[in-house]
Amino acid sequence: MIRLVLADIRRQFAMWLWTVLCATVGGACAAGVVIAMLAGMSATRVAGDAAMTQASIALGGNIVFFTVLAATAVVASTVGLTLTTQRREHALWIILGIPRHHVRRVLIIELLVLGMVAGLLALPLALVVGRVALMQWTETGLDLHGAHVGFQLWYVGVALAAGIAPCLLGGWGAARRASKTGEMRAFRETTELMARPGIGRSVLAACLFAGVLGMWIPGLGSELSGPEQRTAFAFAGNLFLVCLLLLMGPWTITPLMKLWTAMVPVGDVAWRLAIQSCRARAARSVTTVLPFALALSMVSIFMVIGNVMPDDSTGLGDVLVVLGWVFVVSWVGGLAVIALVGRERRRDAALIGIAGAPPAVIARSTMYEGLIYATTAVLFGVLTLLVSCWTVALAARMSVSSVLGGLPWPMLTALAVMTLIMTSAALIWPTITTSQANLAQQLRA
């Protein structure tokens, strides 16, 4: 079994390489901020500064929550897509006589191996992240009494946990589906059917929904008297809502993408090819959109709460302190997903080329596909922004227009434009090289 695991990893090395990169960056950022928070707490406690201890817990806890959430979501979705993309290879194992429970066991062992590798690679990067985080927190005015991040043995455990846990969370359901899906069905299907939510996803979704109601009811009602308490509860409810919507991505992001693309009256053949590609490869579409949607929605709710708090101005520096590592994880994860399915996308482009489509149509189709992904992420962020403005304004007893008017629209627009440009550029480059290569060779690869 171990030989099969190693042989499969070697054969799929180009694909797993991008997954390990995503898991390494996610694990480094998650472990780094955890190490920084614990180091700051330890230094302030030794110095006997209770006020700074509480401040480091408050700031560090928020940063840890945002970063760990982003790392887990991005890495887990990337790992799940990696296994889903290999469904035909796994079906071939079953045809060759490997028992189904052995297939699942092999995939779980692969996830453990890759998670351990990502965790070990993330360890030195986590030390760098921890030191940079402490420097950022000190520049905000926290006196951490000389807290520093050296090396301690327990850092290894934190890094391994940050590498292994998201891999298992993202790949467990995909491994189960790979061992249960009929082998002939895996070869026949040309589109990815929407899977039913598993028990674990359903239970977590129910908990998040309960969290949304549990935060919104007191925050938007009259149970709490202070505006700061009400807006804090509304902010927490918005966080739970974003987590819920992204957890149920196939049932939220996919309908959003289908809805707005159906409303665009474009008759270009390349546009129609891009739409069909996004719909047929549903898992690929959701996983590509998720990192960018997560980053944009986090920025939205953070800017809204910063806008209504008294004597508080949230600028670019504050965003980088709290959400800087979220951006690193999300952007690396989004670009890694694009590179991860590069072989599959090149084969699709080669098939369209053999069917008679000129290279210009293929290039435009891929560019449109990137625009569809980025626009879906931007629209998700806009909807999150509107919901956050409404709930926070209601909690703060303000008008929605006043909350919207105080937002830093140039910065939000710049983030949306960057998402559009980067996603389209990352997608179109492999297609340009494919159009110059032998199409039959691409299909045989």
Side-chain angles (χ1 to χ4, degrees):
M1 183 176 296
I2 298 298
R3 285 186 295 178
L4 179 58
V5 170
L6 296 178
D8 187 54
I9 292 177
R10 285 196 301 269
R11 184 177 180 276
Q12 304 290 346
F13 178 77
M15 182 177 295
W16 281 115
L17 180 63
W18 294 105
T19 308
V20 171
L21 172 64
C22 180
T24 300
V25 174
C29 293
V33 294
V34 171
I35 292 171
M37 185 184 72
L38 296 179
M41 291 169 52
S42 177
T44 53
R45 283 175 178 172
V46 170
D49 193 341
M52 282 297 107
T53 301
Q54 294 297 324
S56 62
I57 292 175
L59 178 61
N62 284 318
I63 296 174
V64 167
F65 174 80
F66 284 121
T67 306
V68 172
L69 172 66
T72 303
V74 173
V75 174
S77 62
T78 304
V79 171
L81 177 64
T82 304
L83 293 184
T84 302
T85 306
Q86 302 175 34
R87 64 190 182 279
R88 295 189 176 183
E89 286 82 354
H90 302 153
L92 185 60
W93 291 359
I94 298 175
I95 292 175
L96 294 177
I98 299 177
R100 293 183 180 273
H101 64 279
H102 283 180
V103 172
R104 182 177 182 180
R105 191 177 305 170
V106 166
L107 297 180
I108 296 299
I109 294 176
E110 285 188 16
L111 295 175
L112 286 173
V113 171
L114 295 169
M116 290 179 61
V117 172
L120 293 175
L121 293 176
L123 179 59
L125 297 177
L127 300 179
V128 176
V129 170
R131 291 165 185 166
V132 174
L134 285 179
M135 182 180 65
Q136 289 178 328
W137 302 352
T138 303
E139 291 176 352
T140 61
L142 289 181
D143 183 9
L144 298 179
H145 298 279
H148 69 281
V149 175
F151 175 77
Q152 298 185 32
L153 189 60
W154 62 270
Y155 292 174
V156 179
V158 175
L160 288 176
I164 294 174
C167 291
L168 290 179
L169 287 174
W172 194 273
R176 178 178 55 83
R177 289 191 298 271
S179 63
K180 291 185 177 182
T181 302
E183 52 271 26
M184 291 298 103
R185 176 184 173 185
F187 279 98
R188 283 196 308 266
E189 287 177 354
T190 57
T191 60
E192 298 167 358
L193 298 179
M194 183 180 296
R196 292 179 298 177
I199 297 177
R201 188 194 292 261
S202 301
V203 171
L204 183 55
C207 294
L208 290 173
F209 183 71
V212 173
L213 296 181
M215 294 296 106
W216 274 1
I217 290 175
L220 306 184
S222 57
E223 290 83 357
L224 301 175
S225 57
E228 292 85 359
Q229 291 180 334
R230 291 196 301 268
T231 52
F233 272 73
F235 173 72
N238 294 330
L239 280 178
F240 282 121
L241 179 63
V242 170
C243 297
L244 174 62
L245 295 177
L246 292 178
L247 175 68
M248 307 302 288
W251 299 270
T252 56
I253 293 177
T254 301
L256 175 63
M257 181 179 62
K258 291 181 178 179
L259 177 63
W260 81 262
T261 52
M263 298 171 62
V264 178
V266 177
D268 189 3
V269 174
W271 174 257
R272 292 200 296 268
L273 286 174
I275 292 177
Q276 293 303 319
S277 176
C278 292
R279 293 179 179 178
R281 306 292 188 183
R284 184 174 75 186
S285 301
V286 171
T287 309
T288 306
V289 172
L290 187 144
F292 303 107
L294 176 64
L296 294 174
S297 58
M298 287 294 182
V299 171
S300 299
I301 60 178
F302 182 77
M303 299 307 294
V304 170
I305 192 66
N307 183 37
V308 301
M309 283 296 183
D311 300 328
D312 190 15
S313 59
T314 305
L316 181 60
D318 300 313
V319 173
L320 291 178
V321 170
V322 179
L323 299 178
W325 305 114
V326 173
F327 275 103
V328 173
V329 173
S330 299
W331 282 81
V332 171
L335 296 178
V337 169
I338 293 173
L340 173 68
V341 294
R343 184 180 66 175
E344 184 181 56
R345 187 174 283 109
R346 285 193 296 269
R347 292 187 65 183
D348 292 344
L351 184 61
I352 296 173
I354 290 178
V361 172
I362 298 176
R364 286 205 317 275
S365 174
T366 307
M367 183 186 68
Y368 289 150
E369 187 176 348
L371 290 176
I372 290 174
Y373 292 150
T375 304
T376 304
V378 171
L379 289 176
F380 185 91
V382 169
L383 293 176
T384 304
L385 177 66
L386 295 177
V387 172
S388 182
C389 285
W390 175 72
T391 54
V392 171
L394 188 60
R397 305 300 188 259
M398 300 170 58
S399 64
V400 178
S401 59
S402 63
V403 176
L404 287 172
L407 294 176
W409 289 107
M411 187 179 72
L412 295 175
T413 304
L415 290 175
V417 173
M418 285 175 57
T419 302
L420 292 168
I421 293 175
M422 290 296 296
T423 307
S424 301
L427 275 170
I428 199 171
W429 173 251
T431 303
I432 294 175
T433 58
T434 299
S435 63
Q436 300 171 353
N438 184 278
L439 297 179
Q441 183 180 358
Q442 292 294 330
L443 289 176
R444 288 195 302 266

